Amino acid sequence: MEKITDRQVGQDWEIEQGWSRYSDEDHAIWRFLFERQQKLLTGRACRDYLEGLQRLGVAPTDQARGLKAHGGIPDFARLSDILDRTTGWRIVAVPGLVPDDVFFGFLAERRFPSTCFIRRRDQLDYLQEPDVFHDIYGHVPLLMNPVFADYMQAFGEGGLRALRLGYLPQLARLYWYTVEFGLIATPEGLRIYGSGILSSGGESIYCLDDPRPHRIGFDLCRIMRTEYRIDRYQQTYFVIDGFDQLFAATQADFAPIYPEIARLPDIPPDFAWPGERVQTEPMRAA
Ligand code: HBI
Ligand code: FE
């Protein structure tokens, strides 16, 4: 009997969420994080995100209204049914970060891989790995938006191609500066759509109000050349005009773009050419 490798056992890495195993403390941490972000994000998160969140019915008040009234960590199966009806996406529970090819494979199939654990109270302000609050509160609401949902699937398909071509770092930068830390220009001013910001207390304020970070108009090649730091607030944010712009950018064939980028030097996260910044004044008095 040949040895079964981890990969064969967890072929697609999917696990059970085990919703009934969450403790009262787990749910209480979710409620604390949820309510903190709700106070911060009004007037800062983009409208499509707030609408998606509301339609998912994950707010403690929604759930107090009898929608699985527990007001804590949502049941992935319930969210998946709402998502599936809206944009064909479902949530799959995974143990943590999964290999790139597995991750992109999930996205290409409209399956969003979400972690199940929630951070501890001493990690409320910073967490290196994504937890269920980052994945569900940060990422899932925008999957209710049809154009963004299409972008995420196209991103998964592009990721698999980038892996084959050896340009994963460039594609990871595109994910980082859009899906995780993207800003969007609206008639009311800059708004947040990046999940890494939406699930973070301090960065939800810093990204819009602080004059120090560069805010640069979306440019695919510029983004794919720009390095990023995972252990601090971003020093550069990229600003889109709309999700159509994001989706259109993934429709181009990246194959000719990669060698062009590879010939040019990478750009440090704190660098900007004169005139690149789209918004120099903070949105609100710091
Ligand atoms: N796995 N669960 C999980 N979540 C991620 O966001 C993730 C991942 N594996 C790889 C990965 N992200 C990166 O390759 C992307 O950020 C490009
Ligand atoms: Fe994420």
Side-chain angles (χ1 to χ4, degrees):
M1 174 77 146
E2 80 279 5
K3 181 180 173 320
I4 295 185
T5 63
D6 286 353
R7 213 166 160 71
Q8 281 167 310
V9 168
Q11 186 56 37
D12 64 358
W13 291 74
E14 189 169 349
I15 60 172
E16 288 300 315
Q17 178 187 9
W19 186 83
S20 57
R21 288 202 299 269
Y22 288 120
S23 66
D24 292 347
E25 171 67 350
D26 292 331
H27 288 304
I29 291 173
W30 169 280
R31 274 193 296 273
F32 172 84
L33 290 168
F34 189 101
E35 277 142 21
R36 180 178 74 176
Q37 288 309 101
Q38 288 300 91
K39 289 191 194 86
L40 281 175
L41 293 181
T42 309
R44 290 177 188 278
C46 71
R47 189 174 23 81
D48 289 314
Y49 168 83
L50 294 170
E51 273 171 18
L53 184 67
Q54 202 272 323
R55 288 170 62 196
L56 283 168
V58 290
T61 43
D62 294 325
Q63 289 164 36
R65 279 208 311 267
L67 296 169
K68 300 278 286 179
H70 59 79
I73 300 168
D75 181 331
F76 291 1
R78 187 177 69 79
L79 296 189
S80 287
D81 289 345
I82 299 171
L83 260 179
D84 209 348
R85 283 199 299 273
T86 312
T87 56
W89 277 80
R90 296 193 70 80
I91 299 163
V92 286
V94 294
L97 289 173
V98 299
D100 292 322
D101 61 329
V102 173
F103 181 68
F104 294 126
F106 275 133
L107 298 188
E109 295 166 351
R110 293 200 176 226
R111 299 200 305 159
F112 185 78
S114 174
T115 49
C116 309
F117 75 94
I118 193 154
R119 66 194 76 181
R120 299 187 312 270
R121 276 197 192 276
D122 63 343
Q123 300 171 304
L124 291 180
D125 289 321
Y126 183 67
L127 189 73
Q128 185 96 34
E129 288 240 321
D131 72 338
V132 68
F133 185 74
H134 167 78
D135 281 328
I136 298 298
Y137 182 87
H139 280 285
V140 171
L142 267 179
L143 291 176
M144 295 284 279
N145 173 285
V147 181
F148 192 83
D150 289 350
Y151 170 67
M152 284 291 275
Q153 179 178 17
F155 188 88
E157 292 161 350
L160 292 170
R161 284 196 299 272
L163 271 177
R164 282 197 293 275
L165 294 168
Y167 287 96
L168 177 79
Q170 284 71 21
L171 205 99
R173 290 166 177 170
L174 176 60
Y175 190 84
W176 187 266
Y177 282 116
T178 58
V179 177
E180 295 294 359
F181 289 95
L183 300 180
I184 183 167
T186 78
E188 300 77 37
L190 294 185
R191 292 291 184 269
I192 303 163
Y193 75 92
S195 309
I197 309 174
L198 292 164
S199 56
S200 156
E203 194 152 4
S204 300
I205 296 170
Y206 165 87
C207 73
L208 295 181
D209 294 9
D210 196 297
R212 286 169 296 177
H214 305 311
R215 298 171 180 91
I216 295 174
F218 177 87
D219 172 322
L220 189 65
C221 294
R222 174 63 162 89
I223 287 177
M224 292 207 278
R225 291 175 59 196
T226 306
E227 297 159 341
Y228 59 86
R229 296 273 302 273
I230 66 167
D231 58 349
R232 51 160 298 158
Y233 291 168
Q234 299 311 303
Q235 296 163 292
T236 293
Y237 295 99
F238 287 93
V239 181
I240 62 173
D241 297 324
F243 297 135
D244 297 306
Q245 181 186 23
L246 263 190
F247 181 70
T250 58
Q251 296 316 291
D253 176 7
F254 285 12
I257 298 174
Y258 289 136
E260 179 195 326
I261 292 171
R263 270 198 304 275
L264 299 167
D266 286 342
I267 300 169
D270 60 348
F271 176 82
W273 277 286
E276 267 199 315
R277 288 163 63 117
V278 292
Q279 189 234 357
T280 48
E281 295 313 312
M283 247 181 69
R284 297 170 172 76

